[in-house]
Amino acid sequence: MTGSNGGIPRWVDVGLIPLINILMAFFVSGLIILLIGEDPIEAVGILLYGAFGTDYGIGYTLYYTTNFIFTGLAVAVAFHAGLFNIGGEGQAYIGGLGVGLVLLSLDSSLPLILLVPISILASALFGAAWAYIPAYLQAYRGSHIVITTIMFNFIASALMVYLLVNVLIQPGQMSPQSREFADTSWLPFMHEVFAWFGMSITRSPLNLSIFWALICCALVWAFIWRTRWGYEIRTVGFNETAAVYAGINPKKIVILAMCVSGGLAGFVGLNEILGVHHRLLLNFQLGYGFAGIAVALMGRNHPIGIILASLLFGTLYQGGAELSFDMPKVTREMVEVVQGLVILFSGALALMIKPTVERIYVVVAAIAAGRRSTVEG
Amino acid sequence: MDDFFILLVSTLDATIRVAAPLVLAALAGLYAERSGVIDIGLEGKMLAAAFAAAATSFVMNSAWAGLLAGISISVILALIHGFACITHKGNQVVSGVAINILVAGLTVTLGIAWFAQGGQTPSLTNDARFSPLLWPGAEAVKDIPFIGGLYTEIISGHNLLVYIAYLAVPLTWWVVYRTRFGLRLRAVGENPAAVDTAGISVTALRYQAMICCGFLCGIAGTYLSTAQNAGFVKNMTAGQGFIALAAMIFGKWKPVPAMMACLLFGFLDAVANRIQGVSMPLVGEIPVQLIQALPYILTVILLAGFIGKAVAPKASGIPYVKER
């Protein structure tokens, strides 16, 4: 999308430059940790142990990863159409509402094997519906999707507070949350799945949703690169005028891309509501929608990249939580700092180092060519 | 009748106080967007300024030092946004999101490291805050019906930053519509190529607009932590930067209508706090959440073109590439 490649090979463009960008983000994060008086190297060690040192840590890391995959894919699909879906937060929230409503009405009357597909459908449908309105307004009324999706995040939040405080609250309860679903309707935890095979691992919130996240990665890959819709989405994102001449209706594509995007974000509700909390509650989606932007940028909008970036952020989330026990000054919020820096360096400043890298590459290539010619000569 | 009047006065008083930071932030967004730079980082800049102001006020025991710190950090963030979007032609929305997330994390991280109070700053004494200014004669006329209440509660008795906020509105109007800088600012947001052709630097103009933007957000953030409250609390902007953004759009990128939108949103907020649990005639109890969501809903409806048409500056969001 950036036009000319400046004569640098592909591996520099898609491998080296993003890597340098991320390293810069980590470097600045390290400086901030130094600033608050802790040792960044030691912090990384504790963080990695916290995330991967125990099966409990791995469970949590992968549980966070699951959410990041969903929101990362959501942002990426919209990006491919040239749209910025900043409303993942609200779509995830409403997606969770969809799951919650299904479970609250059907949990004791249907078996799990039916509830799971219905919940998947409901979260996708609700998330997509929440994305549909901004998409429609963008396509047919010309309102800016960034602004409307931001507004819809706040509207979703107000709606959920209203519903949980006034409508869905468990009678006799003070805290705004629904009743717990019947335990036959819970998505099995990973430690339970392992127990079926006689293996014992420590309890963690990791549940079967992670497989759905991986399936979604494959589906999104197929959708974007192997279907006509995906082709049309990419065409509109690449050049809307050209798309029109090719007979594509950009308005429909905007709505399609946003609905797919919203549906993917809605799956956060699946992981959180059906998988972990087993009841509808407030703010279960907090931060994942925005983190999806960092994940998509870092993963270059490709499912493989998104899995890797999600794993990285999952590691940061879990490791960061553990880190605060050993270094009280380094809390979960430090992860937000890293996230912000990653978005800044790999997103907003993505092109900053490109000219420099190009110049260095040309010089290095010239030297290498010169040496080869002297060796040959 | 008397009760109603007292309620009205207190609601209007609250409206003015709640709307003040919105007005400042909306004007900040106006400078940025009129120059062609979308800034959804108003929230982040306000939050950073709120933290810097509270931390500095506490350490130096001076509200003025706090104001200076708040403005400085906000201008620095605005310049980072400019560096990414103007110099490096990065995506303006991405950059704004980055600043919001970065600041949300950094304020708490630094707060914990420096003050060890769970991300808050210690509460400020009155010396370290902007306290209400009592206008001459306010005490004397207080008991006169109507006029007394209006003068004492609504006109007098706010802190300095509130007056600055409302003075910034005519000032911005004058700058944008009556000065050479304003003319160029509007031009660069509509047609940067023409401005460039006239031999004026698009880059310099946009950076100047970003400084104005940072300056005003800085005052807005300072107001939150050292005037409205007595210290910084984690995520204390709570979406006000986005409400200000909405107000600016609602005001169609014009200073006075933007202020009116801020007052409307502030009024909704003040009303929401007062009618909680109160049953209204005819409609019954109105959910507070509905009133809280109204600014966002109204903005969406406006953007959809159902009440008037909101047209953004033509070049906003598009990095300017000089032809070679």
Side-chain angles (χ1 to χ4, degrees), chain B residues 140-281:
Chain B
V141 299
K142 199 170 138 191
D143 296 325
I144 303 172
F146 296 106
I147 304 160
L150 285 180
Y151 182 75
T152 317
E153 295 294 329
I154 296 178
I155 297 178
S156 161
H158 298 290
N159 62 71
L160 180 68
L161 299 183
V162 174
Y163 298 113
I164 290 181
Y166 292 100
L167 284 177
V169 177
L171 184 69
T172 299
W173 178 86
W174 182 75
V175 168
V176 171
Y177 294 103
R178 288 292 179 273
T179 66
R180 185 194 301 219
F181 169 70
L183 177 68
R184 290 175 175 177
L185 182 79
R186 282 178 290 143
V188 82
E190 294 290 338
N191 190 346
V195 174
D196 198 15
T197 315
I200 303 157
S201 164
V202 173
T203 308
L205 259 173
R206 287 189 170 169
Y207 267 109
Q208 283 161 11
M210 286 318 294
I211 291 173
C212 297
C213 169
F215 191 87
L216 289 167
C217 274
I219 304 176
T222 307
Y223 173 81
L224 292 180
S225 66
T226 64
Q228 197 174 36
N229 300 289
F232 176 84
V233 187
K234 177 180 174 178
N235 194 26
M236 75 184 307
T237 43
Q240 291 186 55
F242 292 112
I243 295 211
L245 189 72
M248 179 204 66
I249 296 166
F250 210 78
K252 302 179 180 178
W253 292 266
K254 296 188 180 89
V256 177
M259 178 190 74
M260 298 313 265
C262 291
L263 285 171
L264 171 69
F265 294 171
F267 180 71
L268 288 173
D269 187 86
V271 168
N273 287 331
R274 278 165 178 72
I275 67 154
Q276 201 149 13
V278 179
S279 188
M280 292 279 145

Side-chain angles (χ1 to χ4, degrees), chain A residues 84 86 141 143 154 333 337 348, chain B residues 90 94 97 106 234 296 303-304:
Chain A
F84 203 119
I86 203 166
R141 310 288 310 190
S143 41
F154 287 103
E333 279 79 13
V337 174
Chain B
V94 173
V97 170
L106 199 55
K234 177 180 174 178
Y296 307 112
L303 276 172

Side-chain angles (χ1 to χ4, degrees), chain A residues 147-279:
Chain A
I147 307 292
T148 40
T149 47
I150 292 175
M151 301 297 137
F152 266 68
N153 284 341
F154 287 103
I155 298 173
S157 167
L159 177 69
M160 290 296 283
V161 173
Y162 172 74
L163 287 177
L164 280 167
V165 169
N166 297 296
V167 186
L168 299 170
I169 190 168
Q170 182 175 11
Q173 267 275 343
M174 279 311 283
S175 60
Q177 48 188 25
S178 78
R179 69 171 173 85
E180 196 171 51
F181 312 140
D183 57 4
T184 50
S185 66
W186 299 357
L187 201 58
F189 282 112
M190 227 42 167
H191 52 84
E192 294 169 353
V193 175
F194 272 79
W196 297 340
F197 299 103
M199 281 178 282
S200 140
I201 57 168
T202 318
R203 292 180 65 93
S204 75
L206 181 66
N207 58 73
L208 285 178
S209 305
I210 190 165
F211 291 114
W212 179 241
L214 295 175
I215 293 169
C216 282
C217 287
L219 291 177
V220 164
W221 177 83
F223 175 75
I224 294 289
W225 280 281
R226 287 292 178 272
T227 68
R228 191 181 143 182
W229 297 306
Y231 174 76
E232 294 187 347
I233 284 176
R234 283 181 295 130
T235 312
V236 169
F238 200 72
N239 187 336
E240 198 175 314
T241 324
V244 173
Y245 281 107
I248 298 167
N249 181 351
K251 292 185 163 74
K252 283 189 179 148
I253 293 303
V254 164
I255 288 180
L256 174 69
M258 279 303 287
C259 285
V260 172
S261 173
L264 286 163
F267 291 143
V268 170
L270 191 74
N271 185 24
E272 291 289 329
I273 300 299
L274 191 64
V276 181
H277 297 294
H278 311 128
R279 57 162 46 127

Side-chain angles (χ1 to χ4, degrees), chain A residues 47-364:
Chain A
L47 190 144
L48 286 177
Y49 182 79
F52 296 109
T54 58
D55 55 355
Y56 162 87
I58 294 174
Y60 264 91
T61 301
L62 293 178
Y63 150 68
Y64 293 126
T65 303
T66 310
N67 282 341
F68 291 128
I69 291 178
F70 288 136
T71 52
L73 287 175
V75 175
V77 168
F79 261 142
H80 278 292
L83 297 165
F84 203 119
N85 180 11
I86 203 166
E89 203 83 6
Q91 291 142 18
Y93 217 170
I94 298 298
L97 174 67
V99 177
L101 291 179
V102 165
L103 268 287
L104 285 174
S105 46
L106 300 172
D107 61 343
S108 40
S109 49
L110 286 182
L112 185 64
I113 196 85
L114 284 178
L115 279 174
V116 171
I118 297 176
S119 299
I120 289 179
L121 220 62
S123 51
L125 220 60
F126 273 64
W130 205 248
Y132 173 80
I133 309 170
Y136 174 85
L137 294 176
Q138 157 96 21
Y140 292 96
R141 310 288 310 190
S143 41
H144 201 307
I145 200 145
V146 170
I147 307 292
T148 40
T149 47
I150 292 175
M151 301 297 137
F152 266 68
N153 284 341
F154 287 103
I155 298 173
S157 167
L159 177 69
M160 290 296 283
V161 173
Y162 172 74
L163 287 177
L164 280 167
V165 169
N166 297 296
V167 186
L168 299 170
I169 190 168
Q170 182 175 11
Q173 267 275 343
M174 279 311 283
S175 60
Q177 48 188 25
S178 78
R179 69 171 173 85
E180 196 171 51
F181 312 140
D183 57 4
T184 50
S185 66
W186 299 357
L187 201 58
F189 282 112
M190 227 42 167
H191 52 84
E192 294 169 353
V193 175
F194 272 79
W196 297 340
F197 299 103
M199 281 178 282
S200 140
I201 57 168
T202 318
R203 292 180 65 93
S204 75
L206 181 66
N207 58 73
L208 285 178
S209 305
I210 190 165
F211 291 114
W212 179 241
L214 295 175
I215 293 169
C216 282
C217 287
L219 291 177
V220 164
W221 177 83
F223 175 75
I224 294 289
W225 280 281
R226 287 292 178 272
T227 68
R228 191 181 143 182
W229 297 306
Y231 174 76
E232 294 187 347
I233 284 176
R234 283 181 295 130
T235 312
V236 169
F238 200 72
N239 187 336
E240 198 175 314
T241 324
V244 173
Y245 281 107
I248 298 167
N249 181 351
K251 292 185 163 74
K252 283 189 179 148
I253 293 303
V254 164
I255 288 180
L256 174 69
M258 279 303 287
C259 285
V260 172
S261 173
L264 286 163
F267 291 143
V268 170
L270 191 74
N271 185 24
E272 291 289 329
I273 300 299
L274 191 64
V276 181
H277 297 294
H278 311 128
R279 57 162 46 127
L280 208 49
L281 69 177
L282 292 178
N283 295 330
F284 60 84
Q285 89 305 353
L286 211 62
Y288 292 115
F290 285 120
I293 299 166
V295 170
L297 285 169
M298 224 170 138
R300 308 267 301 186
N301 302 322
H302 191 284
I304 302 286
I306 286 169
I307 293 176
L308 294 175
S310 300
L311 198 58
L312 178 82
F313 277 108
T315 308
L316 286 174
Y317 253 52
Q318 167 53 17
E322 293 291 312
L323 195 55
S324 55
F325 291 113
D326 292 301
M327 294 183 173
K329 287 178 176 176
V330 184
T331 53
R332 174 67 75 72
E333 279 79 13
M334 188 60 216
V335 178
E336 265 183 90
V337 174
V338 180
Q339 239 176 58
L341 289 169
V342 165
I343 300 179
L344 189 66
F345 282 104
S346 3
L349 290 169
L351 304 176
M352 177 170 69
I353 56 159
K354 200 173 172 184
T356 318
V357 172
E358 274 171 13
R359 238 173 284 137
I360 294 171
Y361 179 79
V362 168
V363 172
V364 172

